[in-house]
Amino acid sequence: MRLSTIFITLSLIASIAVPPFLDLGLQFTLITALTAALFATAFNLLAGQAGMLSFGHAAFFGLGAFGVLHLMQVVERGFGVPTVLLPAFGGLVGLLTGFAFGYFATRRSGAYFSLITLALAELLHVAAPRWTSLFGGEAGISSMRMPSLGVTFGATIEVYYLTLAWFLISVGALYYLSRTPFGLLILSLRDSEERVRFMGYDAERSKVLVFAISAMFTGIAGGLAAMAIETANFSIFAMHTSAQAVLYTFVGGTAVFMGPAVGAIVFTLFAYWVSNATAAWLFYQGLIFVLVILFAPQGLGGILQTHYRARHQLDWSRLASPYVLYALGMAITAFGVVFVVHSIEILFSSSYRLAAEVEGGLPAYEMFGRAWGPLAPLTWGGPIFALVVGIALMRRSRRNIALVWADTREERVEARNLDVEEKRT
Amino acid sequence: MSGDTHILELSGLKKSFGALSIIQGVDLQVARGSRHAIIGPNGAGKSTLFNLISGAFPPTAGGIALNGRSIAGLAPAQINRLGLSRSFQITNVFAKQTVLDNVLIGVMARHGVRFNLWQFTSNMKELRNEAIALLADVRLDHRAETLASDLAYSELRALEIGMTLATGPEIILLDEPTAGMSREETSYIVGLIRRLTEGKTLLMVEHDMGVVFDLCDEVSVLVYGKVLMTGAPAEVRANREVQAAYLGEEAI
């Protein structure tokens, strides 16, 4: 059996079998993670595969959410749509608005395309609080999930399975699409729209269609999110929502199909655990984004894929010790960063200011189970030392890692040349 | 009917960008099955002429007829479907895709498989075989699974020609196919072009006079947006006006 098949089977079994044993908070977080993962995968169809970087996908996420909530309200009044089918309506809303928005946005490319999508989403963000009949004003609209087909849809775990089913169907459909001739056309559009045109394809119509399909699956994700929390207001249209999709997708990696989904799941879980510990979690999220873009632009998925592809050529025994050293360097650096950020967070908090006023001067503060003096040399010297050591370790092992990879590449080139010569003779 | 002997006819073709007049009334007939070169000094409007014929932008005035049918002002995709395909002077391939996929997309276009969302490309055996056969024609079959971005320059130029042929054109326009190539690479590509345009019509822009006189049956000289003369290579070479305008001493 292929490694990827094993991996997919195992994650599938885990995603079905494990959640009932988790606490409610984590179950709910997994629902959020799945909707975010679908959102990112749908976004990547446009951004990664077709090469059109949308900054306005909040529009379709939000419209899908509001669409489904409106339909839920109708169902509450006795209109018979099975609850399991509700997300499809979010998809329909996304598809139709996707055609309309896409028609305008795809007339330009590059930064202009991004700006048009941004403007269209902002238009909704500004209009929604004033458009009470459709978006419920500033409060937004709410509804209740109705029991259907013998399921109450009251328990979080039931909603989780509904979300999981829609996630699998949608991501499966998007994967299928990527393997069809139209999927090939989408990739070609990214590489050279001009060439596509001169090879007999209607590039304009193709772009609108990709845009609409991406918007459709984004609408499904929005619908699922709305069903989980049973409410939505205008803030769903904010730039923040669109930015999340960009962040997940680029950290996960645009070139690998499951990359964006992995990015979304990792970040959602990260937010769940870290936001409990510190108010600076958004800062850490941003920091990770910047570091990934700078040092690993292929993203997490890209890193995994590169290793997987070279698994037979790589000298793993030579790679092991520099990788361990690199990880160690990363951990030490991370400790230094967290120490400084957390200290600053405490020193600038209102409670510390209060303590300073009461006690006078700059009193010591409590962190990691001991007291630190704000002016003590160890308080700042410690983390700086950690940063220096950590970064030095990373730089050093990075060089060794690069050497091993260079050998691997050479081997591959040699293998290919041999192969070519054999074919010629 | 003129569409029978001449596959492509330009009449009184003009193109200006604002006040700048680049093509100033070009009349040109390309005979079916011929290999026709357009030569001329830099800035004569050769690339603009190619862009007009292939539909990159519409002409300001005048007509373009393909097989007797007017194509002036049509979109590039429509012109391609009517049987005219072009290459690019600056290599224009799908860099992040395999060599096979670069050609496959053209083969799909030829068979009208454009908006297929329900079949796997990996299962379309006939189209794939056709694409592989085409790669064999341009001697790239052993590179089928390589990413286009990993190809050497001369291989890229061969791929460029393969992609131009993939949509199954009657007439192909090649824009400086040997630009930037060494002697050996040039003669290799010329050999490919000679073999692959058998039974088709070729219209090419080329700077290398050796290539033009070796490969083509007819040559048109474009100077300042006008055709100075059209004739057999020997006639063109002998013409004093052409020598003065373009060829200079070295070509004689």
Side-chain angles (χ1 to χ4, degrees):
Chain A
M1 212 163 36
R2 283 174 55 204
L3 207 60
S4 52
T5 320
I6 297 171
F7 178 73
I8 290 170
T9 314
L10 283 180
S11 358
L12 207 59
I13 293 170
S15 64
I16 294 169
V18 175
F21 304 103
L22 301 173
D23 65 66
L24 277 181
L26 207 49
Q27 281 180 0
F28 190 79
T29 303
L30 286 178
I31 295 175
T32 315
L34 285 177
T35 55
L38 176 57
F39 185 16
T41 309
F43 169 80
N44 192 44
L45 171 71
L46 193 65
Q49 295 179 41
M52 291 186 268
L53 182 56
S54 161
F55 281 147
H57 257 44
F60 312 111
F61 192 78
L63 288 169
F66 277 107
V68 168
L69 283 168
H70 276 293
L71 188 59
M72 282 165 74
Q73 286 185 339
V74 179
V75 173
E76 271 181 67
R77 281 180 238 121
F79 182 69
V81 178
T83 304
V84 289
L85 292 181
L86 288 173
F89 189 65
L92 183 66
V93 172
L95 183 71
L96 295 178
T97 50
F99 270 118
F101 282 29
Y103 177 78
F104 292 105
T106 58
R107 310 205 134 219
R108 293 284 176 272
S109 49
Y112 299 101
F113 169 83
S114 303
L115 289 175
I116 295 170
T117 53
L118 177 67
L120 288 170
E122 276 305 303
L123 195 71
L124 283 171
H125 186 218
V126 174
R130 291 164 185 79
W131 197 339
T132 319
S133 58
L134 204 56
F135 300 112
E138 301 216 352
I141 62 172
S142 305
S143 181
M144 296 261 285
R145 292 184 298 267
M146 288 289 120
S148 90
L149 309 172
V151 185
T152 62
F153 289 106
T156 305
I157 192 70
E158 290 166 354
V159 183
Y160 169 79
Y161 283 123
L162 177 71
T163 311
L164 180 66
W166 273 95
F167 169 81
L168 292 175
I169 292 167
S170 304
V171 169
L174 282 166
Y175 180 72
Y176 193 102
L177 177 73
S178 73
R179 304 286 306 271
T180 65
F182 189 64
L184 186 61
L185 174 60
I186 292 171
L187 294 175
S188 306
L189 276 172
R190 175 194 63 193
D191 283 1
S192 173
E193 190 184 322
E194 188 185 34
R195 188 80 204 216
V196 161
R197 221 172 252 141
F198 284 94
M199 287 178 101
Y201 290 89
D202 188 333
E204 284 74 20
R205 260 164 61 190
S206 312
K207 282 163 70 178
V208 175
L209 187 57
V210 187
F211 193 101
I213 293 172
S214 169
M216 176 173 102
F217 287 101
T218 305
I220 293 175
L224 288 168
M227 284 183 72
I229 56 172
E230 303 181 306
T231 183
N233 74 357
F234 74 100
S235 67
I236 198 170
F237 292 119
M239 178 66 207
H240 176 73
T241 311
S242 303
Q244 291 292 321
V246 177
L247 192 100
Y248 299 153
T249 301
F250 280 88
V251 170
T254 56
V256 188
F257 183 79
M258 287 308 287
V262 171
I265 292 168
V266 167
F267 259 131
T268 311
L269 292 175
F270 175 85
Y272 173 71
W273 280 306
V274 179
S275 67
N276 284 334
T278 166
W281 68 277
L282 271 176
F283 168 79
Y284 291 118
Q285 194 176 317
L287 187 68
I288 291 171
F289 179 66
V290 171
L291 291 177
V292 167
I293 295 294
L294 275 178
F295 295 107
Q298 75 274 43
L300 298 177
I303 293 173
L304 290 177
Q305 194 186 48
T306 315
H307 284 83
Y308 181 71
R309 281 197 180 150
R311 67 192 181 284
H312 296 308
Q313 289 92 7
L314 272 178
D315 188 348
W316 290 96
S317 57
R318 259 179 78 199
L319 216 47
S321 73
Y323 269 23
V324 169
L325 280 182
Y326 193 83
L328 190 67
M330 215 147 70
I332 295 172
T333 312
F335 170 77
V337 171
V338 170
F339 195 103
V340 172
V341 171
H342 207 55
S343 296
I344 291 173
E345 196 186 329
I346 292 171
L347 290 172
F348 284 87
S349 66
S350 51
S351 54
Y352 183 79
R353 207 175 323 141
L354 201 68
E357 266 169 38
V358 173
E359 295 176 31
L362 292 169
Y365 59 97
E366 192 79 20
M367 188 172 74
F368 304 138
R370 61 160 285 187
W372 304 86
L375 296 175
L378 183 68
T379 309
W380 302 106
I384 288 170
F385 181 70
L387 285 175
V388 170
V389 170
I391 290 171
L393 256 178
M394 281 198 288
R395 288 185 66 150
R396 215 190 149 78
S397 42
R398 205 185 164 89
R399 207 166 44 218
N400 292 333
I401 292 167
L403 281 176
V404 178
W405 276 94
D407 287 350
T408 312
R409 256 188 297 275
E410 254 165 50
E411 244 172 66
R412 262 191 301 188
V413 170
E414 274 165 26
R416 201 168 61 194
N417 288 345
L418 267 179
D419 191 41
V420 171
E421 269 166 36
E422 268 167 28
K423 272 181 188 156
R424 282 215 175 121
T425 49
Chain B
M1 237 182 68
S2 57
D4 290 337
T5 49
H6 295 129
I7 186 165
L8 185 69
E9 279 182 282
L10 314 181
S11 46
L13 196 62
K14 287 183 183 161
K15 179 69 188 178
S16 17
F17 297 97
L20 196 63
S21 182
I22 305 289
I23 301 294
Q24 311 185 1
V26 163
D27 295 285
L28 186 76
Q29 277 109 31
V30 179
R32 190 178 299 280
S34 68
R35 296 201 191 94
H36 196 128
I38 296 174
I39 63 170
N42 284 329
K46 302 184 296 288
S47 289
T48 307
L49 197 62
F50 260 35
N51 283 333
L52 285 174
I53 298 170
S54 59
F57 33 68
T60 312
I64 308 169
L66 177 66
N67 283 323
R69 178 189 164 165
S70 170
I71 57 164
L74 291 187
Q78 292 172 299
I79 293 173
N80 180 281
R81 285 178 217 170
L82 291 172
L84 184 148
S85 187
R86 70 165 291 181
S87 75
F88 289 81
Q89 189 183 339
I90 297 160
T91 308
N92 195 343
V93 301
F94 307 121
K96 291 288 158 215
Q97 289 175 249
T98 64
V99 169
L100 180 64
D101 282 349
N102 267 273
V103 174
L104 186 60
I105 187 134
V107 174
M108 284 177 351
R110 179 204 303 207
H111 290 276
V113 191
R114 290 197 188 85
F115 285 92
N116 185 322
L117 288 78
W118 46 86
Q119 233 179 326
F120 276 9
T121 42
S122 51
N123 292 341
M124 304 176 125
K125 284 278 176 291
E126 274 173 44
L127 299 194
R128 291 181 80 82
N129 288 339
E130 205 175 308
I132 289 169
L134 192 58
L135 284 182
D137 278 343
V138 292
R139 309 233 167 88
L140 283 177
D141 44 337
H142 62 285
R143 299 289 253 161
E145 294 305 323
T146 312
L147 289 186
S149 56
D150 289 343
L151 290 184
Y153 182 70
S154 64
E155 290 176 318
L156 273 175
R157 297 308 295 180
L159 178 59
E160 182 73 47
I161 293 171
M163 290 168 78
T164 310
L165 289 167
T167 57
E170 291 175 69
I171 172 167
I172 67 169
L173 274 60
L174 298 182
D175 198 349
E176 297 198 26
T178 68
M181 288 195 159
S182 69
R183 280 261 150 251
E184 299 86 65
E185 287 171 334
T186 299
S187 67
Y188 173 72
I189 289 284
V190 168
L192 275 187
I193 295 172
R194 190 194 304 281
R195 194 159 47 79
L196 295 173
T197 53
E198 215 59 64
K200 297 183 197 302
T201 311
L202 169 71
L203 180 65
M204 71 191 290
V205 166
E206 185 54 65
H207 270 303
D208 188 327
M209 287 310 123
V211 171
V212 169
F213 293 135
D214 181 26
L215 194 62
C216 296
D217 329 306
E218 260 196 310
V219 180
S220 294
V221 185
L222 194 68
V223 179
Y224 296 123
K226 281 188 180 142
V227 175
L228 191 67
M229 77 164 296
T230 297
E235 283 174 60
V236 171
R237 207 187 324 222
N239 187 297
R240 290 211 162 273
E241 250 186 297
V242 174
Q243 288 168 11
Y246 176 53
L247 291 177
E249 296 299 315
E250 12 92 57
I252 302 171

